[in-house]
């Protein structure tokens, strides 16, 4: 290597400058991100930059004023690296010519390959032959010739552009798509790339001709312009094509406006405005339409009755400081079914949860306050479902004392819940049961729960954990009496207080069994909790403890109710064991089994309840049903688990969940069997037996097929099934999905759909219908 001074390296400077002529440019769909400053195309070389040159031969012709370096030429200057077979500089003409396997690596990482470069030493004009460019974002561009004009424009003739992420690890990979253009013009002043007479080719076949396509170059993070069209089709809306326009308002604000023409209903206009702040962000969404053909909707529905329809939604999240977060998510519609009917993204679910929240998270405490309103999207204009939903405000606070208290851990939980419902929500099964999932009126409850526990290890390895807990509730009630349909003792006063004191002990004796190639831990567990009876058992509203399942995961819980509205009372013992095993051949085993015993007082799970929460749960008798769970993980990728609840008197299966899955390089599959015996008092009058299966197979590089089936064993009906195929090489994503659903009573025709998605990295997406697959995760 040799170092030269700046007086004699004009040739090298010009050569290195020539690399900038072929800066990468990548047509991309604008993304929401903060805009960055864009440097000039001219490189900023340090004034004191040193140049390193290596070559087999250097020839200087003083008479001809020509400098030639030949053979394995390597140049390193100012962060630029260049390799060529020969570089020639003419002082008379001021031109630089590099030939032979040229490779130029820029400081930013872009790579340029060419057979020949011929540029002026001031970089204002020049030519390049048979060039190929690879950018740092893994896109590629090739052209037969390139020309630089006026120091601002670079023109590529007969050029091809594509994205190729897999090429980083597999140079032989060929992208499925590319854009061929007769001429591509990059404007360094406006930072745009214009493709003229362009053809978009997929699988080597031209599918779209574009006379002119202009996109921002790779230096631009955000730029206003049209995005890829969106396609859709539904029976009642017709075929639709949406044209999105992206508007970069400022470095911290942008918006997307989409106009969609629907053949049956007219023009749907959607808008989304996004703004970033120093500590958060806000998104404002709007949509509206004036329906052309209401008769295409079913008579008597809100869709058929309304002409002008619309919605507005606001979603925000702000980090007040590293511990506190404030936000909201609110939707307002002209009617109950607009967003669902027009399949507006993120707003088309059956239930939309409006909420405002404040959350704080500390090292040993947690605070969460939320206000809820549930928007039920229903086509029935006379539907009472939304009025039957609760408007609620909930506050939760959890605290763990940082220091031991009497040698143990002290924790406290506070919950404040306010509920208002305009209509009673009753589920009536004639001759069987009446369940009141919510009463009309308001209810307020403040709960405080304190727990202390300390672990002792006695000689011999026995683990003893005494537990003391105290809870108090204050309730304010103004709810309509459920009347004679309710068989329990409803508490109809305006206010109530209740308390619960618990003394318990948890006893465990784990012991380890080891062999040459395995180890096993068996841990017998016994718990006893002594409590008074639950006050007003079944007589108070139950809003948050309605979902109740007794299985191996809840066997050792101090209070097995899922919420605060019910309290487990009476004296109870839980007996069982826990097992974990590790085998030398890579197998892992786990299991839990046991039973719960009601020893005295009032059994909370045997008392009546507005929602029948404890009915047919397996805990309503003095000796509970048996619960067990076992799981096996195999080194081959197979995972299986089986859990069940068995009748305490005859060992009949009351509930079972079995899953087996396999995760491999080419195969993924899962099979789930669920069996739930009828629970008439809980509102389920028939057995439920269902098999769900899903599988995916990668049959070629980047290609996969997948499918799922759900089968109702009681009705002998396939209730859901789907099939699809996908290609994903990170540059191109293609999915085609078929879905079908069927009612178990077979009175309604099949509801089927076909969805497709094609995504081209840096260009955009094309979506038709719903191409999401709900099988394997």
């Amino acid at each position: 290597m040799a170092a030269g001074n700046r007086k004699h390296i004009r040739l090298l400077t010009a050569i290195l400058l020539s690399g900038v002529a072929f800066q990468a440019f990548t047509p991309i769909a604008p993304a929401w991100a903060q805009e960055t400053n864009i440097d000039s195309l001219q490189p900023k070389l340090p004034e004191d930059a040193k140049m390193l040159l290596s070559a087999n031969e250097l020839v200087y012709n003083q008479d001809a004023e020509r400098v030639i370096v030949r053979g394995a030429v390597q140049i390193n200057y100012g962060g630029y690296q260049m390799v060529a077979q020969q570089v020639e500089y003419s002082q008379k003409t001021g031109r630089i010519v590099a030939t032979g396997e040229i490779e130029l690596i820029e400081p930013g990482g872009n790579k340029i390959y060419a057979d020949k470069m011929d540029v002026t030493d001031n970089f204002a004009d020049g030519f390049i032959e048979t060039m190929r460019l690879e950018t740092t974002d893994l896109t590629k561009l090739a052209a037969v010739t390139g020309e630089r004009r006026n120091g601002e424009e670079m023109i590529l003739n007969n050029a091809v552009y594509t994205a190729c992420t897999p090429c980083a690890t597999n140079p032989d990979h060929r992208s499925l798509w590319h854009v061929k253009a007769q001429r591509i013009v990059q404007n360094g002043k406006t930072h745009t790339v214009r493709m003229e007479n362009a053809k978009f080719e997929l699988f080597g076949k031209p599918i779209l001709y574009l006379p002119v396509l202009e996109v921002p170059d790779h230096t631009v993070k955000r730029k206003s312009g049209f995005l890829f069209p969106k396609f859709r089709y539904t029976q009642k809306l017709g075929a639709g094509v949406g044209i999105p326009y992206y508007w970069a308002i400022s470095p911290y604000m942008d918006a997307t406006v989409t106009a969609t023409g629907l053949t049956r209903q007219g023009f749907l206009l959607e808008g989304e405005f996004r703004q970033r702040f120093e500590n958060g962000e806000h998104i404002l969404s709007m949509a509206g339409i004036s329906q052309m053909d209401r008769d295409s909707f079913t008579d008597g529905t809100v869709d058929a009755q309304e002409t002008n329809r619309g919605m507005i939604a606001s979603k925000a999240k702000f980090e007040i400081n590293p511990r506190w977060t404030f936000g909201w998510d609110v939707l307002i519609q002209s009617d109950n079914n607009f967003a669902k009917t027009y399949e507006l993204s993120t707003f088309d679910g059956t239930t939309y949860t409006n909420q405002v929240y404040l959350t704080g998270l500390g090292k040993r405490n947690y605070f969460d306050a939320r206000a809820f309103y549930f928007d039920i999207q229903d086509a029935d204009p006379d539907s009472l479902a939304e009025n039957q939903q609760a408007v609620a405000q909930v506050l939760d606070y959890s605290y763990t004392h940082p220091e031991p208290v009497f040698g143990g851990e002290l924790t406290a939980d506070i919950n404040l819940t306010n509920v208002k419902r305009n209509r009673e929500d009753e589920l009536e099964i004639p001759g069987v049961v009446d369940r009141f999932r919510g009463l009309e009126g308001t209810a307020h409850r403040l709960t405080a729960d304190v727990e202390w526990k300390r672990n002792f290890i006695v000689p011999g390895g026995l683990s003893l954990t005494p537990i003391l807990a105290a809870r108090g509730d204050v309730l304010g009630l103004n709810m309509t009496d459920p009347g004679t349909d309710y068989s329990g003792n409803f508490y109809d006063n305006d206010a109530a207080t209740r308390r619960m004191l618990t003394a318990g002990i948890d006893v465990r004796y784990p012991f380890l069994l080891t062999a040459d190639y395995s180890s096993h831990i068996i841990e017998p567990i016994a718990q006893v909790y002594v409590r008074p009876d639950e006050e007003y058992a079944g007589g108070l509203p139950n809003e948050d403890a309605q979902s109740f399942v007794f299985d191996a995961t809840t066997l050792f819980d101090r209070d097995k109710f899922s919420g605060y509205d019910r309290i487990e009372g009476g004296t109870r013992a839980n007996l069982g064991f826990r097992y974990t095993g590790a085998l030398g051949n890579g197998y892992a085993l786990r299991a839990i089994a046991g039973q719960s015993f009601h020893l005295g007082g009032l059994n909370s799970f045997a008392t009546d309840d507005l929602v029948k929460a404890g009915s047919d749960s397996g805990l309503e008798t003095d000796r509970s049903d048996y619960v067990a769970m076992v799981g096996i993980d195999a080194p081959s990728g197979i995972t299986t688990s089986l859990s069940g609840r068995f009748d305490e008197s005859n060992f009949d299966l009351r509930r079972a969940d079995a899953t087996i899955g396999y995760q491999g390089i080419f195969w993924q599959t899962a099979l789930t069997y669920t069996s739930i015996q009828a629970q008439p008092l809980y509102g389920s009058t028939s057995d439920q037996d269902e098999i769900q299966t899903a599988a995916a197979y990668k049959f070629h590089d980047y290609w996969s097929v997948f499918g799922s089936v759900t089968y109702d064993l009681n009705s002998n009906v396939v209730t859901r099934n789907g099939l699809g195929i996908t290609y994903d090489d990170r540059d191109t994503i293609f999915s085609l999905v078929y879905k079908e659903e069927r009612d178990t009573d077979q009175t309604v025709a099949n509801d089927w759909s076909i969805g497709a998605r094609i995504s081209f990295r840096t260009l955009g997406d094309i979506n038709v219908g719903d191409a999401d697959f709900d099988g394997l995760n």
Side-chain angles (χ1 to χ4, degrees), residues 26 134 170 209 213 269 535 721:
T26 304
E134 297 178 2
N170 181 14
Y209 171 72
L213 174 63
L269 186 64
E535 297 181 280
N721 62 279

Side-chain angles (χ1 to χ4, degrees), residues 22 223 255 461 608 711:
F22 309 102
K223 187 175 181 63
D608 201 1
Y711 184 71

Side-chain angles (χ1 to χ4, degrees), residues 684-760:
S684 177
T685 58
S686 61
D687 294 346
Q688 301 177 49
D689 296 277
E690 186 179 79
I691 294 178
Q692 300 180 38
T693 181
Y697 174 59
K698 183 178 180 181
F699 63 90
H700 196 272
D701 289 345
Y702 314 115
W703 284 97
S704 299
V705 293
F706 47 84
S708 66
V709 175
T710 300
Y711 184 71
D712 188 320
L713 295 172
N714 302 107
S715 302
N716 295 320
V717 171
V718 175
T719 56
R720 295 184 299 275
N721 62 279
L723 183 66
I725 186 171
T726 184
Y727 174 91
D728 185 355
D729 66 3
R730 291 176 292 173
D731 292 321
T732 308
I733 300 176
F734 166 75
S735 294
L736 183 65
V737 177
Y738 170 83
K739 298 180 183 179
E740 183 178 9
E741 295 188 13
R742 183 194 299 266
D743 286 352
T744 56
D745 57 12
Q746 304 187 55
T747 60
V748 179
N750 295 349
D751 182 10
W752 62 271
S753 64
I754 295 179
R757 177 195 177 196
I758 303 178
S759 176
F760 306 108

Side-chain angles (χ1 to χ4, degrees), residues 190-434:
T190 62
H191 299 279
T192 58
V193 176
R194 187 175 72 252
M195 302 182 187
E196 301 175 355
N197 294 324
K199 293 185 295 182
F200 180 83
E201 296 189 356
L202 184 64
F203 296 104
K205 303 296 182 182
I207 63 171
L208 182 64
Y209 171 72
L210 300 168
V212 177
L213 174 63
E214 186 172 281
V215 295
D217 68 16
H218 77 293
T219 64
V220 178
K221 302 300 181 183
R222 304 162 65 249
K223 187 175 181 63
S224 301
F226 288 99
L227 307 182
F228 246 58
K230 298 181 178 180
F231 302 92
R232 59 190 302 185
Y233 177 81
T234 60
Q235 180 181 0
K236 297 177 181 180
L237 304 181
V241 179
I243 308 297
Y245 182 82
Y246 176 83
W247 181 21
I249 303 172
S250 76
Y252 311 103
M253 290 188 294
D254 60 7
T256 303
V257 179
T258 304
T260 302
L262 299 166
T263 55
R264 292 191 175 181
Q265 300 302 333
F267 282 95
L268 173 68
L269 186 64
E270 301 173 74
E272 185 174 274
F273 170 79
R274 298 167 291 266
Q275 183 172 9
R276 284 190 181 273
F277 300 90
E278 183 177 354
N279 63 339
E281 62 187 21
H282 175 239
I283 302 175
L284 181 66
S285 303
M286 295 170 285
I289 192 172
S290 180
Q291 297 185 150
M292 293 192 313
D293 184 13
R294 294 183 300 170
D295 295 336
S296 64
F297 297 104
T298 304
D299 290 339
T301 63
V302 66
D303 298 320
Q305 293 178 356
E306 301 292 334
T307 299
N308 298 314
R309 310 177 71 182
M311 57 78 68
I312 182 170
S314 175
K315 184 176 182 179
K317 181 179 180 181
F318 298 95
E319 294 184 359
I320 302 173
N321 57 42
R323 292 189 177 185
W324 288 91
T325 301
F326 171 70
W328 66 83
D329 189 352
V330 180
L331 168 67
I332 300 175
Q333 299 189 83
S334 59
D335 56 79
N336 285 346
N337 209 44
F338 169 65
K340 185 177 181 181
T341 299
Y342 284 87
E343 300 178 347
L344 302 181
S345 176
T346 72
F347 303 108
D348 58 352
T350 301
T351 302
Y352 191 86
T353 303
N354 298 270
Q355 60 178 313
V356 180
Y357 60 89
L358 174 66
T359 300
L361 180 63
K363 292 183 178 180
R364 302 182 68 87
N365 56 359
Y366 172 75
F367 176 92
D368 186 90
R370 294 175 185 265
F372 295 96
Y373 177 80
F374 301 98
D375 191 349
I376 306 299
Q377 303 208 63
D378 194 335
D380 182 2
D382 300 320
S383 174
L384 301 177
E386 188 163 317
N387 286 326
Q388 291 175 334
Q389 296 296 310
V391 178
Q393 301 85 41
V394 180
L395 182 149
D396 284 292
Y397 177 75
S398 177
Y399 172 78
T400 300
H401 197 275
E403 302 295 334
V405 178
F406 299 110
E409 182 183 64
L410 181 66
T411 60
D413 294 287
I414 296 175
N415 176 265
L416 174 63
T417 300
N418 299 315
V419 173
K420 177 178 174 58
R421 185 178 280 101
N422 294 328
R423 294 294 183 98
E424 181 179 87
D425 184 7
E426 178 183 4
L427 174 63
E428 181 181 0
I429 302 177
V432 180
V433 68
D434 289 290

Side-chain angles (χ1 to χ4, degrees), residues 13 82 103 111 115 146 212 226 261 271 373 377 411 444 455 465 488 524 526 534 536 543 565 742:
T13 302
M82 184 177 186
E103 178 181 352
K111 297 180 180 179
D115 288 343
V212 177
F226 288 99
Y373 177 80
Q377 303 208 63
T411 60
H444 315 282
N455 181 248
T465 305
E534 178 187 5
Y536 313 112
E543 296 284 349
D565 283 335
R742 183 194 299 266

